[in-house]
Amino acid sequence: MPTIKKISKLTENNHLNLYQLDAVNKVGKEFPYFVASRAKETEKLKIKTKNNKPDGVIIYSICGENRDKVVLVRQYRYSLDDYIYEFPAGLVEEDEDFKEAAVRELKEETGLDLQPIETDSMYEKPYFTTIGMTDECCATVYGYASGEVSKQGQEDSEEIEIVLADRKEVKRILKEERVAIMCAYMLMHFLKEEKDPFSFLN
């Protein structure tokens, strides 16, 4: 079985850090493995805690009088030097419940109010994002959005356009645009579940 001999923190950033793992593979060869993490110190890495506490939250919300539109953001990402379609999302603050974080983040990013729906915990529990690169895991909150769209709560570091997409626009986005993978999968559900976008949660 592969093992980790030592962990070294390489950066000192507020929201994301790089760690080097001195690893040994299954045939005994030593090599460096690099992991990005939301953890601010080595002891908070999931390697150490074995805890699946969510670092972030992703919000899948439906809006419109007929509940026929999905709330998306088209956000500039430095890693691409381009815009990409995503669900509204953000980090869960210390001692904050992830559903509270979802309500806060949707308001900040879009100006909309979120009414979360109750669902089985297996649908909203934290799952890992890009496990080959990071130990980050995110919970998903589902619900209905209402109110007026606004950018007033966005931070200066955020370049976000708010998109309320019907099924025709969702199909165009999936065919023509850059889309985050989690968002893409859920939009495929949205296209097929015309009567109730959340029927897959039942």
Side-chain angles (χ1 to χ4, degrees):
M1 178 177 171
T3 59
I4 297 167
K5 296 174 66 177
K6 181 182 176 183
I7 302 172
S8 302
K9 187 180 182 186
L10 303 181
T11 59
E12 289 290 341
N13 295 311
N14 193 30
H15 298 302
L16 185 67
N17 283 288
L18 185 65
Y19 293 82
Q20 179 177 324
L21 313 183
D22 293 344
V24 182
N25 69 17
K26 65 182 181 181
V27 295
K29 182 179 179 180
E30 297 184 10
F31 68 100
Y33 193 96
F34 298 93
V35 174
S37 179
R38 300 293 185 182
K40 295 181 181 180
E41 56 191 67
T42 302
E43 293 305 312
K44 296 291 182 68
L45 287 167
K46 291 182 176 62
I47 291 171
K48 294 287 190 176
T49 66
K50 306 300 182 184
N51 185 336
N52 219 27
K53 181 181 178 182
D55 300 292
V57 63
I58 298 168
I59 306 137
Y60 178 23
S61 57
I62 303 299
C63 67
E65 288 186 12
N66 297 319
R67 294 182 169 176
D68 58 352
K69 295 180 180 179
V70 61
V71 181
L72 303 173
V73 293
R74 181 176 178 265
Q75 184 164 192
Y76 176 85
R77 291 296 192 179
Y78 288 95
S79 56
L80 299 175
D81 189 24
D82 202 356
Y83 289 83
I84 185 169
Y85 283 83
E86 306 172 62
F87 285 130
L91 297 179
V92 179
E93 295 178 356
E94 197 71 31
D95 300 323
E96 183 181 36
D97 177 81
F98 70 84
K99 287 188 178 179
E100 294 174 349
V103 171
R104 174 181 55 76
E105 285 289 347
L106 191 72
K107 189 69 173 180
E108 290 174 0
E109 290 193 356
T110 71
L112 298 172
D113 298 307
L114 177 67
Q115 180 184 354
I117 62 171
E118 294 298 322
T119 187
D120 192 293
S121 61
M122 74 174 180
Y123 294 111
E124 59 186 17
K125 79 173 195 179
Y127 289 105
F128 291 94
T129 53
T130 311
I131 196 59
M133 296 172 58
T134 178
D135 68 350
E136 180 188 59
C137 65
C138 293
T140 306
V141 174
Y142 309 86
Y144 295 102
S146 60
E148 296 296 323
V149 167
S150 171
K151 292 187 175 185
Q152 289 185 351
Q154 294 180 11
E155 298 176 9
D156 291 342
S157 60
E158 295 176 319
E159 175 61 31
I160 297 173
E161 298 173 7
I162 302 145
V163 179
L164 309 181
D166 61 15
R167 285 179 175 82
K168 181 179 179 181
E169 178 62 3
V170 164
K171 188 174 287 189
R172 186 199 69 78
I173 289 168
L174 287 172
K175 286 182 177 181
E176 301 176 9
E177 303 287 354
R178 288 181 161 185
V179 185
I181 192 166
M182 166 70 174
C183 180
Y185 288 151
M186 301 306 288
L187 291 180
M188 294 173 196
H189 276 293
F190 179 73
L191 284 179
K192 295 299 180 182
E193 306 292 346
E194 293 191 17
K195 291 184 180 179
D196 178 8
F198 296 132
S199 62
F200 70 95
L201 299 174
N202 297 326

